[in-house]
Amino acid sequence: MTRLICVTSGKGGVGKTTVTSNLGAALTNFGADTVVLDANLTNPNLGFHIGIPLYPKTLHDVLKGDAHITEAMYIHDSGLRVVPAGLSVEDLEDTDPANLSDVLLDAVGEPDFVLVDSAAGLGNESINAIEASDEVLVVTNPNLPAVTDALKTVNIAEEAGTEIRGVVLNMVKGHDSELDTEEVESMIGHPVMMEIPHHEKVEEALSLKKPVVHHEPDHHVSERFKAVAGDLAGVDYEPNLAEPGLFTRLMGRFR
């Protein structure tokens, strides 16, 4: 049975698309048939994170009724399937996000997972993505504005009857000014599945148009994404979360 999981945040800039692409990559590595779909119709970025070129058919064409979702579904070299959104201003014309529910129903059947990368904010695009999905995975940063907006997202999902799968606390820097896991859980009312540190390897992977799970599969940041994917897939996975030692870091500079 296909699971439709909306990866959402309530606030832009929290790394939601990074989480979506890496979870999709990790689920595929675990053997799950996975589709990632860019439902950020206004400012789509998922294709950049995965390194797919521009394609003739996109989610915008599907929403306008000009293509079936299978025509806008492309297979990455890793086996991950991607449904990109259109990048041009013209793609916004005659595109109704309310049709997303029907589009996602057309994707149900063969895949094990469809990860829906929602738009940032709490507008119609993101609300339609939440309402069209079975589950919601909330991404936030450990600061008050991001967590406050994440709580609003949770409230919307609960009103829609969409299950809250959990929270990913992303881009953690370890500063004293940041909210800790317990504070975030207390505010949002749902468990934090994993803390993902803010790390240069993630930025490095993005510059190469790769998920960090592909770029540095054994890095402790990648291990954290794999742990979340394992939780979603019911895979018994024990991540290696240890920071590399000084010798390993020095040797890494020569790779």
Side-chain angles (χ1 to χ4, degrees), residues 36-236:
V36 291
L37 180 146
D38 196 341
N40 189 343
L41 303 177
T42 307
N43 294 297
N45 286 302
L46 185 61
F48 296 125
H49 285 248
I50 297 176
I52 61 170
L54 298 176
Y55 281 107
K57 298 293 183 182
T58 69
L59 180 61
H60 282 86
D61 296 303
V62 180
L63 290 171
K64 288 186 285 189
D66 295 335
H68 189 268
I69 190 169
T70 54
E71 297 177 76
M73 194 176 292
Y74 306 98
I75 302 177
H76 186 265
D77 291 342
S78 65
L80 175 65
R81 289 192 277 174
V82 184
V83 179
L87 298 176
S88 69
V89 175
E90 289 76 15
D91 284 323
L92 297 177
E93 298 176 0
D94 301 320
T95 301
D96 186 357
N99 296 333
L100 184 62
S101 180
D102 292 335
V103 168
L104 289 178
L105 285 176
D106 286 339
V108 168
E110 184 181 346
D112 298 308
F113 292 92
V114 176
L115 302 184
V116 181
D117 185 30
S118 82
L122 298 168
N124 286 336
E125 287 181 40
S126 58
I127 291 174
N128 277 297
I130 291 169
E131 293 177 341
S133 301
D134 303 317
E135 306 168 50
V136 163
L137 183 65
V138 180
V139 180
T140 188
N141 298 154
N143 60 68
L144 192 58
V147 175
T148 300
D149 285 348
L151 177 57
K152 296 174 186 176
T153 301
V154 166
N155 291 337
I156 290 171
E158 290 176 341
E159 290 176 5
T162 307
E163 178 186 352
I164 310 298
R165 188 63 183 80
V167 178
V168 173
L169 192 55
N170 194 36
M171 300 169 69
V172 177
K173 297 179 180 178
H175 296 165
D176 292 339
S177 59
E178 292 180 336
L179 300 172
D180 61 28
T181 294
E182 290 74 19
E183 290 172 317
V184 173
E185 290 179 336
S186 177
M187 289 181 65
I188 295 181
H190 291 274
V192 171
M193 299 173 69
M194 183 60 68
E195 291 186 15
I196 308 293
H198 187 278
H199 201 283
E200 63 182 7
K201 286 296 181 183
V202 178
E203 297 297 323
E204 188 178 284
L206 179 57
S207 71
L208 296 172
K209 300 181 179 63
K210 293 181 178 181
V212 71
V213 167
H214 289 161
H215 176 54
E216 290 280 355
D218 297 326
H219 194 275
H220 68 92
V221 175
S222 299
E223 289 286 288
R224 290 172 183 270
F225 284 118
K226 292 177 191 177
V228 178
D231 194 331
L232 293 176
V235 174
D236 188 14

